[in-house]
Amino acid sequence: MSITINILLVDDVEYSRELLRAAILVCIREHKTEIDVNFFHSSTGELIPDRIAIHDIDLVYLDIELPHTSGLEVLKQIRKVYPEMMVVMVSGESSSKNVTSAIKSGANGFIVKPFNSGRILDTLQSYLKKAKKL
């Protein structure tokens, strides 16, 4: 049985979004996970709760460093409207401050650039476990 999920990739660098997209697809293919994915992209943190509603997003990968706002602020906005939404923070810096701030703000996970397929697979499996509970 296959499941279709809508994933929103939020990063101001198009190349980073494309790398993450490619890494997610490789993980799905290599691990024979029965997931069909629709990808949506945003280069800013503006109007993310609206984009989640418009595209019926299931899972968000959110960069911490965004123009005009921080990913942590966007995470707080998401949590106000979608408290159960799975949000994975993405950063080029894995400082304990970044990780702690993200988790305290409600992130479901944290991935460090460059992307690690094991961590990406973990986030997808976490989403699937959560989705089965619904």
Side-chain angles (χ1 to χ4, degrees), residues 67-98:
H68 313 295
T69 188
S70 78
L72 294 175
E73 286 303 313
V74 175
L75 175 61
K76 290 174 187 174
Q77 293 171 14
I78 293 170
R79 286 289 169 246
K80 285 180 186 174
V81 182
Y82 302 100
E84 299 301 315
M85 172 71 53
M86 184 154 175
V87 181
V88 178
M89 300 306 289
V90 179
S91 178
E93 184 183 330
S94 65
S95 71
S96 60
K97 179 184 175 195
N98 266 354

Side-chain angles (χ1 to χ4, degrees), residues 9 11-20 41-43:
L9 305 175
D11 195 309
D12 59 319
V13 178
E14 181 179 1
Y15 183 69
S16 291
R17 291 191 310 266
E18 289 304 317
L19 281 176
L20 181 55
H41 302 263
S42 180
S43 61

Side-chain angles (χ1 to χ4, degrees), residues 4-134:
T4 299
I5 60 175
N6 295 330
I7 297 177
L8 176 61
L9 305 175
V10 184
D11 195 309
D12 59 319
V13 178
E14 181 179 1
Y15 183 69
S16 291
R17 291 191 310 266
E18 289 304 317
L19 281 176
L20 181 55
R21 180 182 180 280
I24 291 168
L25 291 173
V26 166
C27 281
I28 290 169
R29 212 172 16 255
E30 283 182 355
H31 296 281
K32 297 177 177 62
T33 307
E34 294 187 24
I35 302 174
D36 293 319
V37 182
N38 297 314
F39 289 99
F40 300 89
H41 302 263
S42 180
S43 61
T44 70
E46 297 173 330
L47 305 174
I48 295 301
D50 292 340
R51 290 175 187 237
I52 289 170
I54 291 167
H55 300 295
D56 194 26
I57 299 298
D58 300 301
L59 173 59
V60 178
Y61 288 90
L62 177 61
D63 190 18
I64 287 184
E65 299 295 325
L66 296 170
H68 313 295
T69 188
S70 78
L72 294 175
E73 286 303 313
V74 175
L75 175 61
K76 290 174 187 174
Q77 293 171 14
I78 293 170
R79 286 289 169 246
K80 285 180 186 174
V81 182
Y82 302 100
E84 299 301 315
M85 172 71 53
M86 184 154 175
V87 181
V88 178
M89 300 306 289
V90 179
S91 178
E93 184 183 330
S94 65
S95 71
S96 60
K97 179 184 175 195
N98 266 354
V99 175
T100 302
S101 295
I103 300 303
K104 283 185 177 179
S105 296
N108 299 96
F110 194 95
I111 296 177
V112 179
K113 298 175 191 176
F115 304 114
N116 173 305
S117 63
R119 291 290 301 135
I120 292 170
L121 182 62
D122 288 347
T123 63
L124 291 171
Q125 288 175 335
S126 292
Y127 170 78
L128 291 174
K129 286 178 187 174
K130 186 177 179 180
K132 288 179 183 178
K133 292 179 184 176
L134 299 177

